[in-house]
Amino acid sequence: MLNNKVVLITGAAGRIGASAARGVVAQGGSVVLVDVNATGLDELLADLPTKLAMSCRADAGLPAEADRCIAEAIERFGRLDAAIHSAYPRSKGWGTAFEDLTPEFLSEDLSGHLGGAILFSQRMIRHFKQQGHGNLIHVSSIQGITAPKFEHYVGTSMVSPIEYSAIKAGLIAVTRYLAKYCKGNNIRVNCISPGGILDNQPESFLEKYRESCNDKGMLDAEDVVGALLFLLSDHTQYLTGQNIIIDDGWSL
Ligand SMILES: NC(=O)c1ccc[n+]([C@@H]2O[C@H](COP(=O)([O-])OP(=O)(O)OC[C@H]3O[C@@H](n4cnc5c(N)ncnc54)[C@H](O)[C@@H]3O)[C@@H](O)[C@H]2O)c1
């Protein structure tokens, strides 16, 4: 389905990023794996066909580092058609309750996650304009489209951070902004909003969460890959500025 497209994936060593990388390669595309986690990158790279994958250890939210990865990708594959921004930067204060938030960690998280996504977009769109085409995908969340279901968290130490909701809602706005901003440049910008991904959450949380869903409840990272491949493919050539929700009905 991806016919030799070259796709850069940030946060590639993470759950969604790694699943997306495997999905792109399985559909005939090549991947440029970007992450701050060198070990995670090495492990994923070892698992993918050498011809179809390369890695670039970098902070995707820093313009010079994003530019370096774009240059390395072009040197290796001759072009770079698309990017999925799935990096998930978190400060040491991540997961602090609303009442206890500090300006330092709040500002680090807003700037690292939302600011980083904006700056990453700036570098990718600059490259896409020079190239004459491009396809950028952001990863928001169900927390960007509705209020958290706070009752699911009762009896656990888990927190749904207010800044996460702000960042993820912001990403949907950024997606729309950039999609329109790129008018006339043959560049698409879209977003996906996955539901929660399984990661050893407490059983009580999983049960309540599942009750808000239709069939599965919390998802596996692989469950969101189909939407990413759809957005990367030529089947969605004029689909831009949209947010695709993949949440087993959680937000309905
Ligand atoms: N996990 C979930 O439940 C869930 C649900 C909905 C949306 N999302 C979103 O999906 C995206 C990916 O989440 P995930 O679950 O795969 O996270 P993850 O923690 O498994 O992976 C994130 C990866 O990003 C890397 N990273 C962090 N900062 C970086 C930076 N500045 N530059 C490059 N790489 C960086 C980390 O090293 C890590 O490998 C995030 O935007 C997250 O908000 C996650």
Side-chain angles (χ1 to χ4, degrees):
M1 182 157 80
L2 297 184
N3 294 335
N4 305 318
K5 283 190 199 302
V6 183
V7 183
L8 184 148
I9 301 172
T10 72
R15 284 164 291 183
I16 292 178
S19 295
R22 291 197 180 90
V24 168
V25 165
Q27 291 297 326
S30 299
V31 285
V32 181
L33 312 169
V34 177
D35 206 292
V36 289
N37 175 354
T39 314
L41 282 177
D42 288 348
E43 282 169 10
L44 178 60
L45 200 57
D47 217 26
L48 296 171
T50 316
K51 265 190 174 175
L52 301 178
M54 64 171 281
S55 70
C56 181
R57 184 188 180 187
D59 179 336
L62 296 179
E65 297 206 18
D67 280 347
R68 174 171 59 83
C69 293
I70 294 169
E72 287 180 21
I74 292 166
E75 195 183 328
R76 165 75 193 272
F77 292 117
R79 61 178 207 287
L80 180 54
D81 303 299
I84 301 169
H85 186 54
S86 189
Y88 191 173
R90 279 162 276 194
S91 75
K92 288 198 173 65
W94 187 251
T96 302
F98 168 61
E99 289 76 7
D100 303 321
L101 273 179
T102 63
E104 292 75 19
F105 287 135
L106 176 61
S107 139
E108 185 178 335
D109 282 311
L110 292 174
S111 119
H113 198 151
L114 185 55
I118 293 171
L119 290 171
F120 175 75
S121 303
Q122 179 199 64
R123 306 327 292 164
M124 283 311 310
I125 286 171
R126 178 174 173 270
H127 158 67
F128 288 155
K129 279 188 176 170
Q130 285 168 354
Q131 175 178 258
H133 71 274
N135 187 347
L136 174 61
I137 303 171
H138 281 293
V139 183
S140 178
S141 159
I142 47 171
Q143 304 299 352
I145 56 167
T146 72
K149 298 193 197 294
F150 291 109
E151 63 277 18
H152 292 180
Y153 296 79
V154 173
T156 77
S157 58
M158 295 167 66
V159 166
S160 187
I162 189 167
E163 61 276 33
Y164 192 66
S165 294
I167 290 163
K168 292 310 192 185
L171 269 176
I172 296 169
V174 162
T175 296
R176 287 199 200 102
Y177 180 109
L178 290 174
K180 201 70 183 171
Y181 192 76
C182 287
K183 180 177 177 177
N185 286 286
N186 203 20
I187 297 169
R188 299 197 282 130
V189 186
N190 288 292
C191 186
I192 63 163
S193 286
I197 307 291
L198 278 163
D199 185 28
N200 296 313
Q201 289 88 355
E203 193 51 44
S204 69
F205 177 84
L206 293 176
E207 266 174 37
K208 289 179 201 157
Y209 186 102
R210 202 177 297 122
E211 277 169 25
S212 298
C213 298
N214 276 12
D215 292 303
K216 177 162 180 169
M218 298 279 286
L219 303 176
D220 292 300
E222 292 73 22
D223 294 327
V224 308
V225 173
L228 290 170
L229 298 176
F230 173 66
L231 289 173
L232 287 171
S233 79
D234 291 338
H235 296 298
T236 49
Q237 208 173 354
Y238 298 106
L239 196 165
T240 194
Q242 302 305 307
N243 176 39
I244 299 183
I245 300 162
I246 313 124
D247 69 351
D248 190 26
W250 181 94
S251 58
L252 294 175

